[in-house]
Amino acid sequence: MAREGRAMGAAGGELVTIGEFARLSRLSAKALRRYDELGLLRPALVDPVNGYRYYDPAQVEGARLVAWLRRIGMPLNRIGRVVALDAGAAAVEIRAYWARVESETAARRDLAMYLVDHLSAEGRTMSRMPDNGESTGKPENLGSAGTARSGGSAGAPTGLGVPVGLGVPVGPGAPGSLGASGGPGLPGGPGAGPVALAIRGAALTDIGVVRTANQDAAFAGPQTLAVADGFGEGGAEASAAAIGALKPSTWGRDGVLSSVDLLNALQDTADSAAGAVRDAVAPCETPDGSGTTLTAMLWTGSRLGLVHIGDSRAYLLRGGELFRITHDHSLVQSMLDDGSLSPEEVASQPGPALLLKALVGEARPAAAAVACRPDVRLQEVLAGDRYLLCSDGLSAVVDAAGLRAAVVAAEDPEEAVRRLVGLAREAGAPDNVACAVADVVVEE
């Protein structure tokens, strides 16, 4: 009789069978049983005798949300968090997830384009080889990994992506190859042959005006330029560990590795930094709530390798114009990219920046760990280039025009970092500030 009563309730619209609920929700009965086991979508009633599942029709909307989230590829464990939120918070979580998917897809696209360029150049070189087996067939003038394929200004430096800030392309002759020859009017220009280059840099951090502790870190050395912005309980330890894993860096120091080998070595270095952060914050009460951004440039003697994750930034000053050469891994940046937020509205966004990617202290499944790896690429250099790396404690309060004016006016990197920190403090410095500046110079 009890079973008959429940069946009548289902037939009367109070509860429905799993088959009927599958039709309403467009989920299979197999999927519904799986989601019940995982706690994603519990039936309203389970018959204790025969185990039949009955659902409340009011559950259909939640079930359809689960189905839609699965269609966009969201992992089941993340779906469980989303469906437990109210509508507004769920929307923010879905946006953050999809922005991260697009960021990871863009990184894979950029790497694919680099490989196309690399193999195409190698093919052209091989096609010019005599059939005597004496030539090495090494590609020349390879494009930089991560080169933007659309949206850039004509004349922008090779491999830099879209110029930001003033948005003015570099003057004629400024674009260069991945090699270390200079541009016109610079040592190593046309007819001068390759020259030995070096980087000369300086770094500085400041606690700012509001914060009571400094979780930013910065470093400038003969082979390494880096900034890291820590967050959470172990933020200071995380930022220090990330940079500590890079210095002194030995990757590609012999300068004879191929571009592909250099990229592999650069990725190994980035993985080492991620491991160092996990170890550094492991003693924290909640390790997965602590981590750091990392933006670093590593010097081989002929090229710079870029490691980037989070919303710290790298800029290049060339020909008097400032170019941003990194892309923020943040929710705000994703909203700018899809047009749902204008540049003028960025300052009005409440609360702390929501990062889509960072080096954090949690142990992750292999697939997730790979997806959260830093971006890596090789960067062309010219004598006379000046690079700026900074945390968002600087870029969030000093606009591109102010950054450009400071790095142009400074005689050397030491003066540049002092000017930049001073600008941040004049703007109120609500966050810690970290910056590092380096010049590419002819080695004496």
Side-chain angles (χ1 to χ4, degrees):
M1 292 296 293
R3 289 198 301 274
E4 290 177 2
R6 283 191 288 272
M8 289 177 63
E14 298 174 10
L15 296 178
V16 297
T17 64
I18 188 172
E20 176 63 12
F21 191 74
R23 185 188 68 79
L24 293 172
S25 64
R26 300 185 181 183
L27 289 169
S28 68
K30 180 180 179 180
L32 289 172
R33 286 190 289 268
R34 175 63 172 158
Y35 297 159
D36 178 15
E37 294 169 359
L38 295 173
L40 282 178
L41 189 62
R42 296 289 194 189
L45 178 68
V46 178
D47 192 304
V49 177
N50 57 30
Y52 289 168
R53 294 172 171 86
Y54 296 94
Y55 292 82
D56 189 326
Q59 294 179 273
V60 168
E61 185 175 352
R64 287 177 176 171
L65 176 59
V66 172
W68 293 330
L69 293 176
R70 287 298 292 154
R71 289 183 65 182
I72 67 173
M74 184 178 287
L76 289 172
N77 62 344
R78 189 159 186 169
I79 290 176
R81 296 198 300 270
V82 171
V83 297
L85 300 172
D86 62 52
V92 171
E93 182 72 12
I94 293 169
R95 175 184 286 279
Y97 167 76
W98 192 247
R100 180 167 164 179
V101 170
E102 289 184 327
S103 175
E104 291 161 0
T105 301
R108 290 195 295 270
R109 180 199 64 220
D110 291 344
L111 180 57
M113 290 300 98
Y114 166 75
L115 293 173
V116 168
D117 289 348
H118 170 69
L119 294 173
S120 297
E122 189 172 69
R124 289 193 296 271
T125 303
M126 293 295 288
S127 68
R128 294 194 297 269
M129 288 172 53
D131 292 330
N132 56 14
E134 294 178 358
S135 174
T136 63
K138 291 183 178 180
E140 297 177 351
N141 295 335
L142 298 182
S144 169
T147 300
R149 289 289 168 180
S150 63
S153 300
T158 304
L160 298 184
V162 182
V164 300
L166 299 181
V168 181
V170 172
S177 72
L178 253 174
S181 59
L186 295 172
V195 296
L197 299 178
I199 59 171
R200 300 286 184 266
L204 186 63
T205 69
D206 189 84
I207 194 171
V209 175
V210 176
R211 297 294 177 89
T212 58
N214 192 354
Q215 294 186 311
D216 282 9
F219 177 80
Q223 278 82 38
T224 307
L225 194 72
V227 297
D229 183 355
F231 56 85
E233 175 191 358
E237 292 79 5
S239 60
I243 291 182
L246 304 179
K247 60 175 187 178
S249 174
T250 59
W251 82 281
R253 190 171 293 173
D254 55 11
V256 298
L257 296 177
S258 70
S259 295
V260 172
D261 288 337
L262 282 173
L263 281 173
N264 288 338
L266 193 58
Q267 186 64 71
D268 290 343
T269 301
D271 290 345
S272 296
V277 170
R278 287 194 298 272
D279 293 342
V281 302
C284 295
E285 185 175 347
T286 54
D288 58 346
S290 296
T292 186
T293 69
L294 177 64
T295 300
M297 305 196 82
L298 306 177
W299 178 244
T300 66
S302 61
R303 3 182 165 191
L304 280 168
L306 177 66
V307 177
H308 172 66
I309 187 168
D311 62 354
S312 294
R313 294 180 176 180
Y315 295 86
L316 166 62
L317 180 72
R318 178 180 290 177
E321 302 301 338
L322 190 69
F323 293 83
R324 189 171 121 205
I325 58 175
T326 54
H327 197 72
D328 293 351
H329 300 135
S330 68
L331 182 58
V332 166
Q333 182 65 60
S334 74
M335 295 172 71
L336 285 168
D337 294 342
D338 66 21
S340 59
L341 188 68
S342 69
E344 294 74 23
E345 294 171 321
V346 171
S348 66
Q349 291 300 296
L354 176 60
L355 295 177
L356 302 179
K357 292 173 64 176
L359 301 180
V360 295
E362 63 180 353
R364 300 182 174 201
V370 170
C372 289
R373 278 179 167 176
D375 297 341
V376 298
R377 76 163 188 253
L378 300 178
Q379 176 68 38
E380 59 150 351
V381 293
L382 297 177
D385 286 348
R386 173 168 285 181
Y387 287 91
L388 161 65
L389 277 57
C390 66
S391 66
D392 69 338
L394 176 63
S395 60
V397 297
V398 180
D399 63 17
L403 296 177
R404 176 187 175 277
V407 294
V408 167
E411 289 291 328
D412 53 39
E414 290 80 3
E415 181 183 347
V417 294
R418 290 195 298 270
R419 283 177 177 264
L420 291 164
V421 168
L423 287 175
R425 293 189 69 87
E426 288 173 9
D431 197 358
N432 303 149
V433 182
C435 58
V437 174
D439 292 339
V440 179
V441 301
V442 176
E443 192 168 31
E444 296 179 359

